[in-house]
Amino acid sequence: MSTTPLTVVRPDGTARGGVIVIQEAFGVTDHIVDVCNRVAAAGWVAVAPHLFHRQDGVTVLDYSDMDSAMAAIGTLKADEVDSDVDAAASALAELGFEPSSIAIVGFCMGGTVAFHTAVRRPLGAAATFYGGGITNGRFGYPAMASVGDALQTPWHGFFGDLDEGIPFQDVETLREVTATAPVATEITRYAHGKHGFHCDDRPAVFDADAAADAWDKTLEWFDAHVAR
């Protein structure tokens, strides 16, 4: 049985809950570790599962190596990713956190995973940053728009209108579908946002204003929905 490697960052003092942080297509990069640090600074225990651990020699990829990133995520399988997410949730459970006290946030492909986790199991809250697969399934998951009405976890999506891989029309379709879910949902769009706008290690796509606003809204969403 494969054991999922986890990056865990704890806050100072008593934690208010746990947050599962799901990587981009480039692995648990310095940026994802920085996100974990931000989560901990806000008072949560952050746990980031390493989704490439079944692939020999693949850990963290350079942002310029898109071919390797595409190859790495092309081998991912939904059931294996789900088991990695559940391993992170189990680690938080061992620290005493019930599912209602756990949130999940994901970026790029991790945003897709966060969304489908919110469909698959009830947690306190979920946030997706520019996760693709709205009209076509990825990694063995169904299209997001086909299951958005079945969300079990309050979900907030963040998308950029200049994302070449996620048309804003698809985002609006997802907004309509998720609005019929039995939990709270929200989508925020950024007119000048590109794919990856939250990653300050990628100057070509980073948007400081959008990143700051989306992060503030993410923490507010967690504060509003995660049980304590």
Side-chain angles (χ1 to χ4, degrees):
M1 181 175 176
S2 182
T3 301
T4 306
L6 304 172
T7 291
V8 181
V9 183
R10 303 191 188 205
D12 295 331
T14 302
R16 60 201 309 185
V19 177
I20 301 169
V21 179
I22 308 296
Q23 67 181 60
E24 303 167 294
F26 303 94
V28 180
T29 59
D30 288 346
H31 171 63
I32 296 301
V33 173
D34 180 60
V35 169
C36 290
N37 290 335
R38 295 186 214 178
V39 165
W44 308 82
V45 178
V47 180
H50 294 235
L51 303 186
F52 293 156
H53 69 97
R54 295 176 184 82
Q55 303 180 40
D56 291 339
V58 179
T59 51
V60 175
L61 302 170
D62 191 271
Y63 289 118
S64 64
D65 192 359
M66 188 60 71
D67 289 344
S68 293
M70 290 298 99
I73 67 174
T75 69
L76 294 177
K77 299 177 181 178
D79 58 341
E80 293 177 344
V81 172
D82 289 345
S83 72
D84 293 337
V85 174
D86 290 348
S90 294
L92 289 168
E94 290 174 4
L95 295 176
F97 299 118
E98 298 290 334
S100 60
S101 295
I102 297 173
I104 185 169
V105 59
F107 303 83
C108 179
M109 54 150 280
T112 306
V113 173
F115 177 89
H116 285 289
T117 301
V119 171
R120 184 170 63 89
R121 55 183 299 175
L123 298 174
T128 285
F129 281 68
Y130 34 82
I134 294 177
T135 58
N136 295 290
R138 305 178 72 190
F139 320 126
Y141 291 116
M144 294 162 70
S146 72
V147 294
D149 60 345
L151 283 162
Q152 299 188 68
T153 295
W155 174 82
H156 195 148
F158 301 93
F159 297 90
D161 286 358
L162 301 185
D163 191 324
E164 295 180 357
I166 307 175
F168 70 85
Q169 294 93 337
D170 289 355
V171 174
E172 287 305 310
T173 295
L174 188 62
R175 186 196 302 275
E176 293 176 6
V177 172
T178 56
T180 67
V183 293
T185 62
E186 183 63 71
I187 284 178
T188 301
R189 286 170 43 195
Y190 297 97
H192 303 292
K194 299 178 182 178
H195 190 82
F197 67 77
H198 189 260
C199 184
D200 49 7
D201 285 339
R202 303 176 68 187
V205 296
F206 177 60
D207 185 315
D209 290 341
D213 183 75
W215 187 247
D216 286 347
K217 283 183 168 62
T218 295
L219 295 181
E220 290 168 2
W221 190 256
F222 291 173
D223 284 339
H225 297 285
V226 176
R228 285 189 284 284

